[in-house]
Amino acid sequence: MAEKKRLKDLSIWQKIYIPEIFKGLALTFKNMLKPKFTMEYPEEKFIPPASYRGRPVLVQEENGEERCVACGLCSRVCPALAIEVQAAETEREKERYPERFEINMIRCIFCGFCEEVCPEEAIVMSKDYELAFTNRQEAIYGKDKLLVPVSQLQDRIEFLRNYK
Amino acid sequence: MSLIEILIITLIKILIILTLTLLTVSYLVYFERKISAWAQNRLGPNRVGWEGILQPFADVFKLLLKEDIVPNKANKVIHSLAPMVALFVAFTTYAVIPIGPNVQIFGYDISLVVADINIGILYVLALTSLGVYAITFAGWSSGSKYSLLGGIRSSAQMISYEISMGFSIAGVLLLSESLRPIAIVESQAGWMWNAVVQPIGFITFFVSAFAETNRLPFDLPEAEPELVGGFHTEYSSMKFAGFFLAEYANMIIASALITTLYLGGWQIPYIEKLGLADWLVTVFQVGSFFIKVGMLLFFFIWIRWSIPRFRYDQLMNIGWKVMFPLSLINLVWVAVLIMIFN
């Protein structure tokens, strides 16, 4: 085993201790004059980078339809069992769509598995981190809250194309 | 002056000093939080009022509305007596600290000190040592291990630091030849400040003052990480606020004492040579007293956010093996000075 070396040979100035105290004081004083890191939250909001995993949302195309084909993979992979999908048929090109799509935000752990497993790029993690509810009913997000226009999610989709 | 006049003047003085200290104490808490924030690159309280200027009042109202919890095992009488003792000691000490020279108002010759007694320093020493009882009472009566440990630490700390403090003061008294605070201030005319004449005594007194006021780096009775708050673990609501106020009031006393004993009190060197009007000189002098105290208070807070806490044995080592001999050396130094120059 390598022998541990301790810093024992302090110089006389270090032993007197007082100059070292003043060094410490100078350091804290310098820091008092430095710019502050604090972000004053409600007025000034943190805008996360594209790699941030916020609230999962469903991508809404320009024509107002969702991309989701209700395959149920996200629901299947979700480790917290937070997603519930009810599929239905439609006359549109993709033939299937989710009649009901619910994410229980109390259960969601923001792992991003749903987004990773999705074959249609239909569910992605947004930058939204302001999630607060006053009761459990409110915490279950339906399609009305989950659908977000694709233009707002371009950042994340590009990130996924580069790194997924 | 008749008795009634003296009574009224003294009452007015008490009122002024009391409101002044209470205000300073509350704003000291605010500045403590602000300066700690700045030292850590944060902003500090800035929500209540402009830049958080009303924060102390919000704190007080919060504490007033809190539930006052007394533990089952506590000795109820002493438990509630302790914060009272702490506050009493903290506020009565201001009585002998002069904030300025005598002034003439409406034909009265008024000294800017509540009680101009000729054993002022002895009075201060007596009261500050009484302050230990508050902490020991609190520690013992709470019926909690942590509080008891805090109380024991406090008494051990006070014993070891009061000695070096006393000897440093003895150096000052040798020069001033009086225990009267005003006489001590006047003995430091010009640049003959005791901090300049006896720097070692100044340092030992300064360090002892930190230990006396339980401030970091010597806040072992509180020691949040090990003792969960020490002697005030079991206190809540206004009783806790009492200790809190007393701590900051003690800080102001310590600063005012250092100013009086070592930094020439209200004096500004050679201000009489500028040829200003008498009342202007007085205003400047009182202002200089407050500026000196303010700078010392800033230093107290600054030290707190720079230096880590001492270990218990290190504290004892410094107290007995370093501070005590140093204060004796200082006493000899002053005696030699007097021998040579008188």
Side-chain angles (χ1 to χ4, degrees):
Chain A
M1 219 172 87
E3 209 173 292
K4 261 189 190 170
K5 278 198 172 175
R6 288 186 65 186
L7 186 69
K8 272 188 175 170
D9 304 321
L10 300 172
S11 72
I12 182 80
W13 281 111
Q14 286 167 322
K15 274 182 189 163
I16 292 176
Y17 201 71
I18 292 192
E20 295 295 309
I21 287 179
F22 281 102
K23 263 192 210 169
L25 286 176
L27 182 82
T28 41
F29 194 74
K30 242 186 276 168
N31 271 290
M32 280 181 209
L33 306 175
K34 275 187 188 166
K36 313 295 175 228
F37 286 112
T38 312
M39 206 169 259
E40 291 183 76
Y41 165 61
E43 292 96 45
E44 191 186 346
K45 277 178 187 166
F46 166 62
I47 298 165
S51 60
Y52 187 82
R53 292 202 304 258
R55 172 172 81 94
V57 293
L58 286 176
V59 179
Q60 188 178 30
E61 299 283 16
E62 267 104 31
N63 56 12
E65 291 166 8
E66 61 274 285
R67 268 189 194 175
C68 182
V69 291
C71 64
L73 275 174
C74 47
S75 165
R76 179 76 193 218
V77 80
C78 183
L81 307 177
I83 305 178
E84 199 188 323
V85 191
Q86 185 75 54
E89 281 184 28
T90 112
E91 300 301 309
R92 274 176 301 191
E93 193 195 340
K94 278 177 178 171
E95 290 179 3
R96 275 161 65 91
Y97 83 104
E99 192 180 29
R100 210 154 59 91
F101 196 109
E102 284 178 356
I103 301 182
N104 188 337
M105 290 314 294
I106 292 176
R107 293 193 141 193
C108 179
I109 57 170
F110 305 93
C111 60
F113 282 8
C114 46
E115 166 193 59
E116 233 174 90
V117 82
C118 185
E120 297 285 326
E121 231 169 37
I123 182 165
V124 295
M125 309 300 276
S126 68
K127 291 179 179 182
D128 187 6
Y129 52 85
E130 287 167 315
L131 305 161
F133 347 96
T134 47
N135 60 53
R136 275 152 194 270
Q137 282 312 308
E138 250 178 68
I140 297 168
Y141 281 19
K143 261 167 79 177
D144 54 324
K145 281 181 185 166
L146 286 175
L147 283 170
V148 171
V150 66
S151 53
Q152 285 176 31
L153 301 166
Q154 220 51 56
D155 241 23
R156 179 71 183 174
I157 290 169
E158 256 163 53
F159 171 80
L160 289 174
R161 281 180 190 158
N162 288 334
Y163 295 100
K164 198 168 149 186
Chain B
M1 277 191 282
S2 70
L3 194 67
I4 302 275
E5 279 172 333
I6 292 172
L7 211 64
I8 289 170
I9 288 171
T10 315
L11 273 177
I12 291 171
K13 280 193 226 168
I14 289 170
L15 212 67
I16 290 172
I17 292 282
L18 206 61
T19 34
L20 213 61
T21 42
L22 276 173
L23 266 179
T24 328
V25 162
S26 49
Y27 276 94
L28 205 55
V29 180
Y30 168 74
F31 277 110
E32 169 108 49
R33 294 173 67 177
K34 269 287 190 197
I35 290 168
S36 78
W38 292 336
Q40 296 162 359
N41 295 336
R42 295 184 285 113
L43 286 173
N46 64 350
R47 293 283 142 168
V48 194
W50 178 79
E51 285 292 312
I53 208 83
L54 296 175
Q55 186 69 41
F57 299 101
D59 288 347
V60 166
F61 286 127
K62 188 204 81 174
L63 280 167
L64 272 171
L65 293 172
K66 284 215 159 187
E67 189 192 351
D68 180 24
I69 301 163
V70 180
N72 249 344
K73 280 190 180 173
N75 184 325
K76 306 240 161 17
V77 179
I78 296 179
H79 189 263
S80 49
L81 187 71
M84 287 184 218
V85 173
L87 270 181
F88 167 77
V89 167
F91 285 120
T92 39
T93 319
Y94 290 103
V96 294
I97 290 167
I99 59 167
N102 287 17
V103 285
Q104 263 76 31
I105 303 172
F106 308 125
Y108 295 110
D109 184 40
I110 298 168
S111 60
L112 290 183
V113 50
V114 174
D116 183 14
I117 50 178
N118 50 13
I119 52 157
I121 294 303
L122 215 56
Y123 170 86
V124 171
L125 281 179
L127 275 177
T128 47
S129 13
L130 205 64
V132 197
Y133 282 96
I135 294 175
T136 320
F137 279 170
W140 175 75
S141 68
S142 291
S144 143
K145 287 168 225 151
Y146 294 121
S147 302
L148 189 59
L149 277 173
I152 291 170
R153 279 182 177 194
S154 152
S155 37
Q157 179 178 320
M158 294 287 168
I159 290 167
S160 34
Y161 279 86
E162 215 130 74
I163 293 172
S164 57
M165 195 178 190
F167 274 110
S168 334
I169 291 180
V172 176
L173 298 183
L174 275 183
L175 276 178
S176 70
E177 296 173 349
S178 169
L179 281 160
R180 219 173 122 236
I182 291 179
I184 290 171
V185 171
E186 278 163 358
S187 74
Q188 306 173 53
W191 272 115
M192 288 293 283
W193 288 6
N194 281 325
V196 182
V197 179
Q198 34 180 320
I200 300 173
F202 177 57
I203 290 169
T204 48
F205 187 84
F206 208 92
V207 175
S208 311
F210 273 92
E212 283 282 320
T213 48
N214 293 327
R215 289 289 296 181
L216 230 87
F218 302 114
D219 73 335
L220 285 160
E222 284 175 51
E224 293 93 348
E226 326 144 36
L227 295 185
V228 228
F231 63 91
H232 58 56
T233 308
E234 304 295 346
Y235 281 90
S236 55
S237 184
M238 266 328 262
K239 283 182 192 163
F240 170 74
F243 279 118
F244 206 63
L245 285 181
E247 188 195 323
Y248 284 91
N250 277 329
M251 243 168 90
I252 300 172
I253 291 174
S255 307
L257 257 186
I258 292 168
T259 313
T260 314
L261 293 176
Y262 288 94
L263 298 178
W266 68 78
Q267 301 196 67
I268 305 172
Y270 309 120
I271 195 176
E272 63 278 358
K273 291 192 177 160
L274 290 175
L276 295 167
D278 268 0
W279 66 270
L280 210 61
V281 170
T282 310
V283 168
F284 275 134
Q285 283 174 332
V286 173
S288 88
F289 177 83
F290 286 119
I291 287 169
K292 282 170 189 171
V293 171
M295 281 165 76
L296 282 170
L297 287 174
F298 174 74
F299 195 74
F300 266 81
I301 297 172
W302 184 15
I303 284 270
R304 174 168 180 185
W305 299 102
S306 304
I307 298 173
R309 180 178 303 117
F310 280 82
R311 226 189 310 137
Y312 192 53
D313 59 317
Q314 288 172 333
L315 177 94
M316 288 296 149
N317 263 342
I318 291 179
W320 291 103
K321 292 185 188 164
V322 181
M323 285 303 147
F324 181 43
L326 272 180
S327 57
L328 280 179
I329 289 170
N330 175 64
L331 200 61
V332 175
W333 161 254
V334 177
V336 169
L337 275 187
I338 292 172
M339 277 254 296
I340 294 171
F341 290 104
N342 281 5

